[in-house]
Amino acid sequence: MTRLLEISDLRIFFESGFGKVDAVRGVSLSMDMGDAIAVVGASGSGKTVLGRSMLGLVDAPGVVQGSIRFDGTEIVGRSEKDLRGIRGLGIGMVFQDALDGLNPVYSIGSQLSEIFTVRLGLSRSQAKSQAISLMEQVGIRRADERYNDYPHQFSGGMRQRICIAMAIGLKPKILIADEPTTALDVTVQAGILRLIKSLQSETGMGLIFVTHDLAVARMISTRIVVMYAGQIVEQGLTEEIFLRPKHPYTRALLAAHPARARSWRDLEPIPDAFVTDSSSGEGTSHSSPQMVVTS
Ligand SMILES: Nc1ncnc2c1ncn2[C@@H]1O[C@H](COP(=O)(O)OP(=O)(O)OP(=O)(O)O)[C@@H](O)[C@H]1O
C-alpha cells in the first residue's frame, strides 16, 4: 500500500562562505492518513527545515538530498510548477507567524475566497459562502460581518485561526503546522491546539506538528519524533515516549519540563466558551479555547 508520506535518508545542508551547516542528517520517517506526528527538539535541531522540505520550500542556498514521497510522488527535485500543485491541496502549511500567511492590503474574506476560486474553481458566491463557513468553523464569531475586515483588525490568535482556515479549506491530505501557537497567549494556544486536533480527527488528514514544547506535543500527537542536531534520535507512540523515553536526550528534554507537561495534559475545556463548532452549525457555542487545569 502507498504510504501517505515516506521520507528516506533525507539530508539537507547549507553551504556558505562560513562553512557547511548540516541541518538534517539522514532522516527517515513515514506516516499514513490519521497519523498526528509531533516533531520536537531544541532550537536549531532541524525541525523547521524538515517541515519546509516536505513542501519544497527549503531556502537557498539549501541543498536537499534523499527522498520525500508524498502519496507516491517524489517531492525532492520536483519543479516549482509541480510543487505549486501539491502545496495547499496535497500538503497544507500553517506557519509560526500568521502574518507570514496573510496579505495586509486585502480583506480576510477576499483572501480566503480567492483560494477557493483559484484552487477549487468555485464561483465567487460559492467561494464567499465557503469562506464564511470556514471562518465560523475556526471560531470567528459574526463571520459574515467580519468578512470584509483586514488582517490588522483581528487579534494574533484570530489571525492564526484564519490561517488554519485557509490551510484546511483546501482539505489537504497532510497539514504541516510549524509552531503555530508559540507566539500566542496560553489560553488561545490551547484553543487552537484543540481546534487542529478536532479537525484532524474529523477529516483524517495527516498532521505534522513542529514544536519545541513537549507538553504541546503530548496534547496534539499520537506519535513523537525527537530531533537532535539534524537527526531523529528517538520516535514512538506519544505516551510510550513520555512513559519510557529511551534516548538520553529525550530523557533530558522530559526532565526539563515535567510539571508543564502534566498541566497541559490536565487542561479541560470550559463549556460554552466563545468558539463555534464545525459540526454544530452557525452560532452554536461550543467548548474551546478557554481552558482550566482540573487537577
Ligand atoms: N537559510 C539558511 N541558511 C543557513 N543555515 C540555515 C538556513 N536555514 C536554517 N539553517 C540552519 O539549519 C539548522 C536547522 O534550523 P531549523 O530552523 O530547522 O531548526 P529548528 O529546530 O526549527 O529551530 P527553531 O526551534 O529555533 O525554529 C540550524 O543550524 C540553522 O541555522
Side-chain angles (χ1 to χ4, degrees):
M1 197 185 84
T2 308
R3 310 222 63 169
L4 182 58
L5 184 74
E6 181 99 59
I7 298 178
S8 313
D9 197 22
L10 186 71
R11 290 164 194 276
I12 304 172
F13 58 89
F14 297 91
E15 227 150 356
S16 71
F18 302 104
K20 186 181 175 204
V21 176
D22 288 304
V24 173
R25 303 185 296 148
V27 161
S28 296
L29 179 67
S30 58
M31 81 184 300
D32 294 310
M33 289 297 284
D35 283 346
I37 296 179
V39 182
V40 304
S43 187
S45 55
K47 306 182 298 293
T48 293
V49 172
L50 174 65
R52 291 180 69 89
S53 69
M54 297 173 206
L55 288 153
L57 286 175
V58 173
D59 300 326
V63 176
V64 182
Q65 294 173 341
S67 169
I68 304 172
R69 293 186 81 80
F70 163 67
D71 227 2
T73 301
E74 182 60 54
I75 301 277
V76 177
R78 199 122 210 128
S79 71
E80 192 53 30
K81 182 169 169 279
D82 288 351
L83 287 169
R84 266 187 249 125
I86 293 169
R87 287 180 203 138
L89 283 172
I91 307 179
M93 184 150 188
V94 183
F95 295 95
Q96 190 162 355
D97 184 349
L99 289 179
D100 285 351
L102 296 172
N103 188 328
V105 301
Y106 293 106
S107 73
I108 289 296
S110 66
Q111 292 185 59
L112 269 166
S113 295
E114 191 190 337
I115 290 180
F116 303 131
T117 50
V118 173
R119 302 299 302 272
L120 298 181
L122 299 188
S123 70
R124 277 167 160 271
S125 64
Q126 284 172 328
K128 182 174 179 181
S129 56
Q130 174 87 328
I132 290 172
S133 134
L134 268 163
M135 286 168 73
E136 283 166 354
Q137 193 175 334
V138 297
I140 311 283
R141 286 190 301 170
R142 296 180 287 107
D144 49 345
E145 292 170 31
R146 306 223 56 192
Y147 182 84
N148 291 317
D149 285 353
Y150 289 83
H152 73 270
Q153 293 171 285
F154 290 84
S155 68
M158 286 293 137
R159 285 198 294 260
Q160 198 57 284
R161 284 167 180 266
I162 290 159
C163 287
I164 292 168
M166 281 181 168
I168 60 164
L170 293 175
K171 298 195 171 59
K173 290 186 175 165
I174 298 177
L175 179 68
I176 299 174
D178 187 354
E179 307 258 17
T181 57
T182 305
L184 304 175
D185 172 80
V186 74
T187 51
V188 177
Q189 184 177 17
I192 291 183
L193 293 175
R194 285 192 185 273
L195 172 69
I196 293 176
K197 202 173 166 173
S198 69
L199 290 170
Q200 195 247 340
S201 45
E202 266 169 41
T203 61
M205 70 182 174
L207 175 67
I208 295 182
F209 197 97
V210 173
T211 181
H212 64 275
D213 189 330
L214 278 171
V216 168
R218 188 176 201 174
M219 182 183 179
I220 200 93
S221 70
T222 52
R223 273 167 61 203
I224 288 185
V225 164
V226 184
M227 286 191 73
Y228 181 78
Q231 289 181 312
I232 294 178
V233 293
E234 181 163 1
Q235 58 175 308
L237 294 176
T238 301
E239 285 309 304
E240 268 300 301
I241 296 270
F242 271 84
L243 293 174
R244 281 174 280 280
K246 293 190 184 71
H247 194 276
Y249 176 68
T250 315
R251 287 205 284 267
L253 263 185
L254 282 169
H257 300 287
R260 190 161 147 65
R262 272 204 305 277
S263 70
W264 268 101
R265 202 172 171 227
D266 294 339
L267 281 173
E268 290 294 338
I270 299 172
D272 294 324
F274 59 80
V275 74
T276 53
D277 179 13
S278 56
S279 56
S280 56
E282 190 178 355
T284 310
S285 65
H286 172 63
S287 61
S288 209
Q290 294 185 354
M291 302 287 159
V292 59
V293 177
T294 54
S295 57

